[in-house]
Amino acid sequence: MYDLKTVQAAQKLVLHDSLHTYKVKNSRSNIAGQVMETPTKKGAIALFCSKDSMQKAHGVVVTSFEALDAIADRMTHWTPNTFNWLGYTQNRASVRGHRENNLAQINSLVVDIDFAHAQERYAREQEVLGAVTVADLFIPTMILRTAKGFHIYYVFDQPMFLRKTRGQFPVLKAAQKMSSFVRQWVQERVVGVDVGCNNFGIFRIPRQDNLIFFDANMLIQVSALMKWSQYYAAQVPVTDQTGDKVISLSPDEGRQVDQAWFKALLKVTTVKSGHGLARHNTVMTLALAMYQSKVSQQRARDVLDVFNSNLHEPLVDREVVQCVRDAYSGDYRGAALSYVQGLLDQWVPNFSGKVVAGIGWHKFAKPRAERQYSHAHEWRNDVLALINRMGGSAASIAMSTRQIQAELGISPASLNRVMKQLQATSQLKRVQRGNQPTLLTTVTMLFKSAMVSRQAQSQAWTGYLTTLMPTVSTSGYEPTVGTLTEMQAVSGDSAPPWGMETRRRTG
C-alpha cells in the first residue's frame, strides 16, 4: 500500500499543475495571501463520492489542490482531465460543464478493464499486467484496482492543450484516435476492456486503498504515441457498416470520384455548420477524393464552388479555397474511409450503395495462415510474445536464438533481423554472457517483475526504462493542425520506421 503523500503526488502528477495551489476563497493554507498565485490560467475538475453519485452527476467542483487534498480521500471518482470551467445546476443538484468540447487540457489516457466479479479480477491480474505495456513501448504510470477490475492510467509527460481551429478541436480528435488505439491494443490481449466508455470522462481517483502501482518516471511522450498510433492504424483491418472486410482498389481499378458515395455526397444540400462532420469536413473529403482521382486543382475548385453554392448554409469562399489547397498539398492520398462513412450516416442516411475502399485506405490482408510469407511486424509480435510468456514475472530470461527458432519456426536470418529491429526500437534488450545463453529483457517483463516485487524504484527498473523516454521540451505539446488532421485521417501510407517484410515459408 502506498502512503498518503505518494497518493497525493500521483493525483498532482496527473493534473499537471492545472489547478490553483490554494482555494480562491477561505483558504486555510494561504493565510492573508502570503503566497501569491501565478497568473497562469487554471481550470476545474469534478469529484464524486460514489459510483451512484457519478452516474447522477452529483459531484463537487474543485479548482485548487488545497481543496482536492481536503476531500480526495472521501471521493471515489474524478475527472483526470481538466476543464475550462465547471458549475452546478439549480440548487447545486448536479455538476454541469463536463463535456469534451469544454476540456482545457488532456492529461492522460485511461483504460477501464472490468470483469464479471472480483474473483475473476484476482485470477486474471497477471494476464492484465502482461497486456498493458502497449507495444512493449508505453508503460502505465499507475494502476488502480476497482471493485471488479482495473483502471490503467497512461499519463502524458506534457498535457495536450485544446485550441479551437475553424470550428474544430484537432487536438481532441487526435487524442481520441490515440485513446481508441491504446484500448484496442489492450483489448486484443485481455478480455474486459470497456472500449465504449468516454475517452476523457470520469474514472477512479487514486487513493491509498486502490493504488497498486505508481511510478512518476513512467510518462508517455505524446509525439511518440502519435507515431505509434499511425503505424498501428495501418495494421488494423478496415470494415464497412455491416462488419464485412473491405478490400482496397489498386490505382488502375477505380477512382474515388467514380464511386457511389462521392456522387451521393455531391448532391447533398442540407449539410450545416457545426462541430464534427459538418460543412468543412464534407468539402475537404470531396476535395481529397478528387485529388486521389487526379482531377485538376482548378476543376476541383469549380466543382466545390457549385457544391458550396447549393448548400442552404454555404461556407465563405476562402474556406473552400483553403480546403482544396490542403487536399492538394501532397500530405494525403485520398479521402479517409472513417470520414466518408460518418458523412454518409450524417447527411445521406438512406444511402444504399456499397462503400468500397479506394486509394488512401488500408488493404485488408489475408489471414496469416493463408499467406506464404509473414510480415516483419508479425514476427516481432511473435518474438516478444514468446519471451514475455517464457519470462513470466522474472526481470530477464536466459534464452538462446536456437530456442526461439525452434519455438517459432523462424529462419536464423529473419530472427537476427527481427531482434535488431526490436533492440533499435527499445522493445528488447540483450545481454551477452560469453558461452552462456543471452539474457533477454522486455519492458513487459520488467514491469511485471516490478509489480511482483513492489520495487518500482529499483536500479533495473528506472535505469533501463527511463532511457526509453526521449528528451522533450517543457513548453507543452501543441502539434500543428496538419499533423493532427493526418492523424485523424489515419493515412494509408503510414509505415513503421523500422524494418520491411520478413519472408516465411509455410510449406
Side-chain angles (χ1 to χ4, degrees), residues 365-379:
K366 291 181 180 180
R368 190 177 183 185
E370 298 178 13
R371 286 185 274 121
Q372 184 178 10
Y373 303 115
S374 287
H375 298 296
H377 72 88
E378 292 171 329
W379 278 130

Side-chain angles (χ1 to χ4, degrees), residues 3-52:
D3 58 30
L4 179 60
K5 185 177 180 181
T6 302
V7 170
Q8 292 176 336
Q11 295 167 358
K12 289 179 172 61
L13 181 72
V14 172
L15 296 174
H16 282 299
D17 195 33
S18 58
L19 305 181
H20 290 289
T21 302
Y22 304 104
K23 294 179 182 179
V24 177
K25 296 181 180 179
N26 303 318
S27 173
R28 295 185 177 182
S29 300
N30 190 20
I31 301 174
Q34 293 175 2
V35 180
M36 298 297 293
E37 286 280 0
T38 60
T40 308
K41 182 180 181 297
K42 303 297 182 180
I45 62 171
L47 289 88
F48 306 87
C49 63
S50 68
K51 191 169 184 177
D52 181 62

Side-chain angles (χ1 to χ4, degrees), residues 432-449:
Q432 301 288 349
R433 302 191 301 164
N435 294 329
Q436 295 181 314
T438 301
L439 281 178
L440 303 178
T441 301
T442 71
V443 176
T444 297
M445 289 175 63
L446 287 173
F447 173 71
K448 291 175 69 176
S449 175

Side-chain angles (χ1 to χ4, degrees), residues 33-170:
Q34 293 175 2
V35 180
M36 298 297 293
E37 286 280 0
T38 60
T40 308
K41 182 180 181 297
K42 303 297 182 180
I45 62 171
L47 289 88
F48 306 87
C49 63
S50 68
K51 191 169 184 177
D52 181 62
S53 296
M54 176 200 73
Q55 292 170 341
K56 296 177 181 177
H58 294 171
V60 179
V61 175
V62 166
T63 59
S64 70
F65 287 109
E66 180 185 358
L68 175 64
D69 290 344
I71 66 171
D73 62 343
R74 303 193 300 275
M75 299 293 153
T76 60
H77 295 75
W78 71 338
T79 58
N81 297 296
T82 314
F83 295 89
N84 288 299
W85 64 270
L86 291 174
Y88 297 99
T89 57
Q90 291 183 348
N91 301 321
R92 296 177 66 91
S94 303
V95 174
R96 64 185 180 91
H98 53 297
R99 57 184 185 273
E100 287 191 339
N101 62 2
N102 186 36
L103 282 166
Q105 63 189 57
I106 296 173
N107 303 312
S108 65
L109 306 180
V110 184
V111 175
D112 180 5
I113 301 176
D114 204 22
F115 298 111
H117 43 71
Q119 290 82 358
E120 185 179 2
R121 178 203 65 193
Y122 177 79
R124 307 192 79 149
E125 181 167 326
Q126 288 302 309
E127 183 182 349
V128 170
L129 297 181
V132 295
T133 50
V134 179
D136 262 276
L137 285 172
F138 305 109
I139 305 100
T141 311
M142 61 182 176
I143 298 179
L144 278 56
R145 183 181 286 121
T146 66
K148 295 185 293 183
F150 304 91
H151 280 183
I152 317 297
Y153 277 73
Y154 302 88
V155 181
F156 294 148
D157 59 343
Q158 298 287 336
M160 297 178 72
F161 298 104
L162 271 68
R163 299 288 185 271
K164 196 172 184 178
T165 305
R166 300 177 186 172
Q168 307 289 318
F169 291 91

Side-chain angles (χ1 to χ4, degrees), residues 1-5 7 73 205-212:
M1 178 181 292
Y2 291 91
D3 58 30
L4 179 60
K5 185 177 180 181
V7 170
D73 62 343
I205 185 172
R207 304 194 325 181
Q208 286 184 270
D209 60 352
N210 67 10
L211 185 62
I212 62 173

